[in-house]
Amino acid sequence: MERAVPLAVPLGQAEVFQALQRLHMTIFSQSVSPCGKFLAAGNNYGQIAIFSLSAALSSEAKEESKKPVVTFQAHDGPVYSMISTDRHLLSAGDGEVKAWLWVEVLKKGCKELWHRQPPYRTSLEVPEINALLLVPKENSLILAGGDCQLHTMDLETGTFTRALRGHTDYIHCLALRERSPEVLSGGEDGAVRLWDLRVAKEVQTIEVYKHEECSRPHNGRWIGCLATDSDWMVCGGGPALTLWHLRSSTPTTIFPMRAPQKHVTFYQDLVLTAAGNSCRVDVFTNLGYRAFSLSF
Amino acid sequence: MSSESSKKRKPKVIRSDGAPAEGKRNRSDTEQEGKYYSEEAEVDLRDPGRDYELYKYTCQELQRLMAEIQDLKSRGGKDVAIEIEERRIQSCVHFMTLKKLNRLAHIRLKKGRDQTHEAKQKVDAYHLQLQNLLYEVMHLQKEITKCLEFKSKHEEIDLVSLEEFYKEAPPDISKAEVTMGDPHQQTLARLDWELEQRKRLAEKYRESLSNKEKILKEIEVKKEYLSSLQPRLNSIMQASLPVQEYLFMPFDQAHKQYETARHLPPPLYVLFVQATAYGQACAHMKSSSQPPRQDKTLSVAIEGSVDEAKALFKPPEDSQDDESDSDAEEEQTTKRRRPTLGVQLDDKRKEMLKRHPLSVMLDLKCKDDSVLHLTFYYLMNLNIMTVKAKVTTATELITPISAGDLLSPDSVLSCLFPGDHGKKTPNPANQYQFDKVGILTLRDYVLDLGHPYLWVQKLGGLHFPKEQPQHTVIADHSLSASHMETTMKLLKIRVQSRLALHKQFASLEHGIVPVTSDCQYLFPAKVVSRLVKWVMIVHEDYMELHFTKDIVEAGLAGDTNLYYMALIERGTAKLQAAVVLNPGYSSIPPIFRLCLNWKGEKTNSNDDNIRAMESEVNVCYKELCGPRPSHQLLTNQLQRLCVLLDVYLETESHDDSVEGPKEFPQEKMCLRLFRGPSRMKPFKYNHPQGFFSHR
């Protein structure tokens, strides 16, 4: 069978290492800048890359437009989650959360503004922070991850106010339900829990793996990603990526993605971005149709 | 007689002698003496006008008389006859007058004509004279112009300028007093001086010639003397040989080598000089510094036939003689059988790929007494160098099946520098030469001619700028010198790593992963998964595998790499590992791609943990390098794969829907089984605590 083989470029040690890194790279997190022109992506090596969305989406986009504007080493471990406030980029990975100024981050040699570590119970191993969530009404940040708790941190003072317990295994993802300030969290135990922030208690639990339409036992029961639009919720992971109606707690649409999804976002109700296990960020315009991919 | 003379002149004029003259007629006063009567003279005296009047009167009288006669005749009568007779006599007289007048008229006419004629003749004579004179004038003018245009030869001679002349010429030639005033004399003087100078110079020339002859003779004599000296020196050298050997200073041997080196083509010569220098420098460094540095012995030798090399530069006259002979021979042979086009092309190819008869041999000795023999050749028409390599070891090697290509002369030096596969000619100008004789690529001939690696060209001082054919590329010593040390080091590392692999493969084929004691700390004490198979596969087979496509697409699986397949087993689980071994091992790590067959087929495209396992051996290879010179990388990677398989199988979450116990009970100590959004298994081994954690 004839197959077009790409020319083997004479590769020195550095180029081979770079190629291997790229082949084994996973992008765990992403965040759009407050102005909407830039996208920050974090990978498993602890690097953050800033892409120019305006350049990549413009009509004159070339190959170079799809390369990062700047890349820097943010954490020692993987950058599992990132979120943007109106001025800051918050990134979290192995146990601590760091803040970066968006205006500074585009320049080379940027340093973090601050870094905080929530109070962990175990000291043997530093648990990872898998999800960050901003609650604008309280001006606080919610962190969740390896220690199975949701921690709330006040952004002004930097103190940790609440610790919500309920999950039996580590938490993968968080989502905020605007209207009634509730937080949704999905975890390795296969449940999506809804927490009321005012009373700091769990109000609803959806055990996704128990629903036959979406469960995939061979993948496991873990919930990897979560996004909500107050009435609707989309979640996926071990079970298939599904759109749920929250009031009735019923699954409505199941998306045809073979691999377990890691990250999903509603963007203006039209674009869903979901990152799979590769060094690419897939951009979907019109639900279900993949337009192009940004590459590290 | 006047009548005769007048007859001579004018025969028409009939003269009647003795005609009686009438009273009216005037006779000339000037009657000439003599017997003749000249009417010419009479003409001069008579007035033509009166004669004309007379003529008219006579005519009138005649008319009257005729009229009277007519009247009388018509009247008739007796007296008439006498009247008529009278009148008749009168008219006769008139007739006589008329005749005279006629004669006179004729004479006048004749005279007039004569006069005109005479005048005309005179005019003609004057005219001729005028023409003669004009002709003479013209002639004289021509002569004058000729004289004026005359250039004397002396004007063509470049004479020295006046000032110089007066300065230099001796006074007896220049004669200033005379010549200053008289330009003619001055020119003469200058010409004299010119002649004088020329004579002097001719004299000098003769003298110089004779000098030259003398000196030439002297040179001859001295040359003879020197050539007689040469055999004496040779005999002294011979006599000194035993002394040299006694003192361990093999000057003669080195000298002989240098002698042979003179016949080397420039790139080989550069290589020879630089390699010898490097070898000497290393030996020198080793002896002077304690502890000894790199234990390397580099020996350089020249092989080949010097006579053939000399034959390449035969002088043209000899070759012409040969040519004429060979032409004669060729004609004979062509009569018998014409060589076919294919044979001719073949001959042309052979000619183009001809090697220089001399070659340089380098022997690199490594620590473990294995030797890398390198023979460098120079292809004259292509202006490139090639090398053939051979590795010999102190003890006989039993080659394991999978290690066939490791030390083969064809591939042992492949890609010493990234991309330097040695299958293409580095000289861009060669492409045009190849087109002429129908050679597609040098790849077909490398087995025979040796590999034209780029580092070989650099060692020979040849530098070919990329894709730009140059007319002549000359061998550059500085280029060779700057590359010598790094190339020698790389060659040594290459040989040693290949030999290490050789040994390791022998062990791998028996299912044992040879982990050295100083690398044991990287792995837990108990490793259950076992390597059961280690084979070499070909490039095409590697590309056909379904789980290696991303490596191929990333351009990491070229045809210069070596490919292997390892099989690790534990229980029912079979892990296939496709290995890409870059010729630059171990600075460039081997690349693994895994395919696990256990409860379905799992590769990196459908299982993140397989991806993580690959990452553990591919990306984190630096931990597995072991002590320098990191020959243990491959074996450590294989051992780690066994450990990773153990972890994978033991930490696999039990699927509730399937019945039965877990096939692999968890024996490894792990803090957490899953971590992070990707739910990774704990693949990282922590020494010395001995538990597994996540990266």
Side-chain angles (χ1 to χ4, degrees), chain A residues 17-285:
Chain A
F17 184 62
Q18 242 185 20
L20 287 172
Q21 266 197 324
R22 289 189 65 208
L23 282 170
H24 298 94
M25 191 186 288
T26 310
I27 294 178
F28 283 116
S29 54
Q30 64 197 355
S31 181
V32 181
S33 67
C35 60
K37 289 193 203 147
F38 297 99
L39 177 72
N43 69 6
N44 57 328
Y45 299 119
Q47 299 164 329
I48 294 180
I50 313 288
F51 296 90
S52 168
L53 274 177
S54 44
L57 290 170
S58 77
S59 49
E60 304 138 9
K62 301 177 290 255
E63 273 312 300
E64 296 86 61
S65 319
K66 299 195 180 133
K67 292 271 162 197
V69 173
V70 70
T71 314
F72 58 95
Q73 190 77 29
H75 292 262
D76 292 328
V79 183
Y80 285 128
S81 74
M82 286 202 296
I83 207 165
S84 286
T85 64
D86 49 3
R87 277 182 37 230
H88 300 105
L89 172 68
L90 303 168
S91 64
D94 263 352
E96 57 178 15
V97 57
K98 292 186 180 180
W100 315 79
L101 266 177
W102 262 110
V103 291
E104 296 287 322
V105 91
L106 289 168
K107 302 174 198 164
K108 290 214 165 35
C110 168
K111 286 225 169 276
E112 76 246 21
L113 211 53
W114 48 259
H115 62 272
R116 309 276 308 145
Q117 200 178 54
Y120 293 120
R121 288 176 299 180
T122 57
S123 56
L124 193 59
E125 198 197 3
V126 177
E128 75 281 16
I129 297 173
N130 283 327
L132 292 171
L133 190 65
L134 277 174
V135 187
K137 284 201 184 130
E138 304 180 339
N139 194 21
S140 66
L141 177 71
I142 303 185
L143 308 100
D147 66 344
C148 316
Q149 293 173 72
L150 282 90
H151 296 272
T152 332
M153 182 185 100
D154 188 276
L155 277 172
E156 263 189 61
T157 58
T159 51
F160 289 93
T161 46
R162 303 185 203 92
L164 300 165
R165 297 193 191 99
H167 275 281
T168 53
D169 209 337
Y170 74 94
I171 299 166
H172 277 280
C173 45
L174 294 170
L176 180 69
R177 208 172 170 194
E178 290 274 336
R179 264 182 288 154
S180 43
E182 280 174 10
V183 175
L184 288 87
S185 63
E188 181 71 16
D189 56 2
V192 175
R193 296 176 202 274
L194 282 86
W195 313 80
D196 191 325
L197 285 172
R198 284 168 299 185
V199 296
K201 273 224 172 93
E202 184 181 331
V203 289
Q204 195 182 352
T205 309
I206 301 172
E207 287 182 309
V208 179
Y209 65 95
K210 291 198 174 145
H211 292 254
E212 266 188 38
E213 314 95 318
C214 44
S215 79
R216 300 190 290 199
H218 57 274
N219 276 343
R221 54 168 77 166
W222 51 279
I223 301 296
C225 54
L226 196 57
T228 183
D229 195 26
S230 288
D231 289 330
W232 300 92
M233 174 193 79
V234 80
C235 72
L241 189 71
T242 327
L243 182 67
W244 292 76
H245 186 238
L246 277 175
R247 193 81 62 72
S248 54
S249 303
T250 49
T252 49
T253 320
I254 301 175
F255 293 99
M257 297 296 290
R258 190 176 40 99
Q261 288 310 293
K262 300 286 184 317
H263 196 99
V264 73
T265 307
F266 278 107
Y267 182 66
Q268 288 180 358
D269 257 356
L270 283 171
V271 176
L272 282 165
T273 52
N277 51 351
S278 69
C279 61
R280 285 185 288 272
V281 175
D282 295 307
V283 180
F284 286 77
T285 52

Side-chain angles (χ1 to χ4, degrees), chain A residues 3 5-6 10-11 13 17 23-26 28 80 94 124 126 128 130 170 172 188 217 221-222 262 277, chain B residues 418-419 543 551-552 556 587 593 608 611 614-615 618-619 621 655-656 671-672 674-679:
Chain A
R3 189 187 4 180
V5 178
L11 296 172
Q13 190 185 19
F17 184 62
L23 282 170
H24 298 94
M25 191 186 288
T26 310
F28 283 116
Y80 285 128
D94 263 352
L124 193 59
V126 177
E128 75 281 16
N130 283 327
Y170 74 94
H172 277 280
E188 181 71 16
R221 54 168 77 166
W222 51 279
K262 300 286 184 317
N277 51 351
Chain B
M543 307 237 283
I551 297 288
V552 176
L556 292 168
S587 57
R593 269 295 175 258
D608 272 344
R611 210 156 165 261
E614 289 172 352
S615 182
N618 289 336
V619 181
Y621 73 92
D655 195 353
D656 298 325
L671 291 176
R672 269 172 69 179
F674 299 103
R675 191 178 189 264
S678 47
R679 305 175 68 246

Side-chain angles (χ1 to χ4, degrees), chain B residues 133 173 180 223 522:
Chain B
L133 286 172
I173 295 185
M180 277 296 203
K223 267 193 188 160
L522 293 166

